[in-house]
Amino acid sequence: MTAQSSEASFDSPNDLFLRACRREPVPRPPVWMMRQAGRYLPEYQAVRSRAAFLDICKTPELACEVTLQPLDRFGFDAAILFSDILIPLQPMGLGLEFVESVGPQIPNPVRDRAGVRRLAAPDPESSMGFVMDAIREIRRALAGRVPLIGFGGAPFTMATYAVEGGGSKTYPHTKGLLFGDPEAAHALLTTLADTTAAYLEAQIRAGAQAIQMFDSWAGILAPRDFREFALAYARRVIESIKSSSAYRDNPAPLIYFVNGCAPYLEDIATAGADVVGVDWRIDLDEARRRLGDGVAVQGNLDPTCLFLEPEPLRERVAEVLDKAGSAPGHIFNLGHGVLPMTNPERVDVMVRAVREQSARS
Ligand code: CP3
């Protein structure tokens, strides 16, 4: 069942992921998978049958246990903290619930200036200390086996949940606020950016060795609106982190992932991130050309390729590696999170294919 990499041992910690983030040459591209801990794994379902999702997030031993599950099974080259991008909405005063087969619900959405003014700017240690405790616990349990990635939502994606009150397909309230009262929208995004920066800095202080910021829904924006409402605030978070004492003590690489990034790549290259996460709607050779050589790239297998039989799946993996090319600075990943109905055996096929194909070339 396991595909442990030979690099992963106590005497030679596996730092392929961090080296690739810094665009240093590596013997093969590191591989991890967005949403690698979660519902597609029977061992996660077993924990879930005993504890609600938010209780797992808030109990460091459980968060640690499920963070390690995909590493033990597949031998990924990085761990990602088990938590959720929506955690800060609760201490901001918006509330947060996860409703079975509905998804996240935010009971007090913010739709106007008065709502924006009421938002709290929570202190991460006192209001979300369980996240930092989980990071410390996971680092201890990993004992240097692989690096640990912390994460948060980018301000625009957080705003879609804060304003809609949950997920959406068309984002009517969000776009209503952006276009109808841009001043209130900017005030909301500023508060979200400052909350996110403080939260991610606390994660770095607690021991996160890289940080990924998810802009999962920024792809719904026209290019000018992307620059004004998404990129400007992602940049604000990145600049704040990079000028913090936490970052000076522990310069964790910063990854900016935009789902649907293709229209904006030239702009995204200016965000200040070390690594750009790329979804599957563009080939990595074109993405790298348009991003320039100042950033590493992460991606970008279509998550539904994991439904293929092993041989065509291996061909798809080979195609991603081929498009990524041999220049330093590629981290193999999916183009978005793994889907809940994925067969874990196919994930194993994918991880082995990355190792075998790059050994051949
Ligand atoms: O290994 C990991 O990556 C797990 C940690 C993780 C979760 N959520 C756990 C989770 C991460 C990195 C996230 C990020 C997240 N959460 C994003 C950005 C990534 C993306 O997919 O674009 C977003 C948009 C959310 C918000 C969210 N959380 C939604 C929409 C949902 C419900 C639908 C879904 O995808 O599951 C969640 C719940 C959630 N977050 C679950 C898990 C394991 C399922 C909860 C359960 O067990 O019932």
Side-chain angles (χ1 to χ4, degrees):
M1 179 169 83
T2 55
Q4 286 293 351
S5 81
S6 54
E7 303 98 298
S9 76
F10 293 107
D11 16 296
S12 60
N14 174 351
D15 61 354
L16 284 178
F17 168 75
L18 292 174
R19 282 154 63 199
C21 288
R22 300 189 186 107
R23 284 175 288 128
E24 294 168 11
V26 283
R28 61 163 179 84
V31 49
W32 70 281
M33 195 170 76
M34 288 187 275
R35 311 291 293 267
Q36 66 191 20
R39 284 168 302 175
Y40 75 108
L41 287 179
E43 55 270 38
Y44 172 77
Q45 298 286 13
V47 176
R48 265 294 268 119
S49 68
R50 298 186 268 119
F53 171 63
L54 272 178
D55 291 335
I56 302 177
C57 294
K58 293 182 179 181
T59 311
E61 308 82 76
L62 291 180
C64 178
E65 181 181 345
V66 298
T67 296
L68 298 190
Q69 286 174 344
L71 302 181
D72 294 340
R73 192 190 260 262
F74 307 113
F76 285 123
D77 297 304
I80 182 162
L81 164 72
F82 191 85
S83 186
D84 199 85
I85 63 164
L86 303 179
I87 291 290
L89 296 182
Q90 200 158 32
M92 289 182 81
L94 296 163
L96 175 63
E97 290 159 19
F98 285 87
V99 181
E100 208 60 58
S101 65
V102 176
Q105 296 290 300
I106 290 86
N108 317 309
V110 45
R111 303 247 164 104
D112 54 27
R113 283 169 194 225
V116 176
R117 272 197 298 269
R118 276 196 296 274
L119 289 177
D123 169 61
E125 287 291 349
S126 55
S127 64
M128 298 176 275
F130 54 87
V131 173
M132 277 42 87
D133 290 341
I135 289 173
R136 287 183 279 264
E137 175 115 9
I138 298 163
R139 282 294 305 273
R140 263 196 305 277
L142 284 171
R145 181 151 67 132
V146 290
L148 174 63
I149 306 168
F151 71 92
F156 177 76
T157 289
M158 298 295 286
T160 66
Y161 287 99
V163 175
E164 301 297 332
S168 177
K169 282 197 161 63
T170 51
Y171 302 92
H173 299 291
T174 309
K175 289 195 170 179
L177 188 71
L178 301 184
F179 302 155
D181 192 351
E183 221 177 286
H186 282 297
L188 170 63
L189 289 160
T190 301
T191 303
L192 285 167
D194 295 348
T195 299
T196 301
Y199 177 49
L200 295 177
E201 284 157 25
Q203 291 189 25
I204 292 173
R205 225 172 283 119
Q209 291 154 289
I211 291 288
Q212 175 151 326
M213 198 158 51
F214 286 91
D215 227 342
S216 306
W217 314 131
I220 63 164
L221 295 170
R224 55 161 288 194
D225 297 318
F226 175 80
R227 285 191 289 273
E228 181 175 346
F229 298 112
L231 181 65
Y233 293 95
R235 182 183 287 125
R236 184 178 171 108
V237 175
I238 290 166
E239 281 173 357
S240 168
I241 294 173
K242 289 204 164 174
S243 63
S244 70
S245 61
Y247 183 85
R248 269 194 305 282
D249 295 344
N250 169 19
L254 306 184
I255 308 167
Y256 182 38
F257 168 71
V258 177
N259 181 28
C261 63
Y264 330 117
L265 283 170
E266 288 79 4
D267 289 322
I268 289 172
T270 70
D274 305 288
V275 183
V276 171
V278 178
D279 63 280
W280 68 91
R281 298 166 189 86
I282 182 165
D283 289 335
L284 284 182
D285 54 349
E286 190 189 341
R288 292 190 104 170
R289 204 159 50 238
R290 288 177 49 205
L291 285 164
D293 50 18
V295 293
V297 293
Q298 175 175 278
N300 75 345
L301 185 73
D302 181 338
T304 52
C305 286
L306 291 172
F307 301 154
L308 288 167
E309 293 297 313
E311 201 39 49
L313 169 57
R314 280 190 279 267
E315 284 165 21
R316 291 289 192 137
V317 169
E319 250 173 64
V320 170
L321 291 169
D322 180 55
K323 296 282 185 193
S326 55
H330 174 231
I331 298 144
F332 190 96
N333 205 312
L334 302 179
H336 199 190
V338 62
L339 295 162
M341 51 288 213
T342 301
N343 176 351
E345 281 169 29
R346 294 297 193 268
V347 177
D348 199 46
V349 169
M350 176 191 81
V351 171
R352 287 171 188 277
V354 175
R355 301 226 159 96
E356 285 157 16
Q357 314 239 359
S358 23
R360 263 205 299 274
S361 58

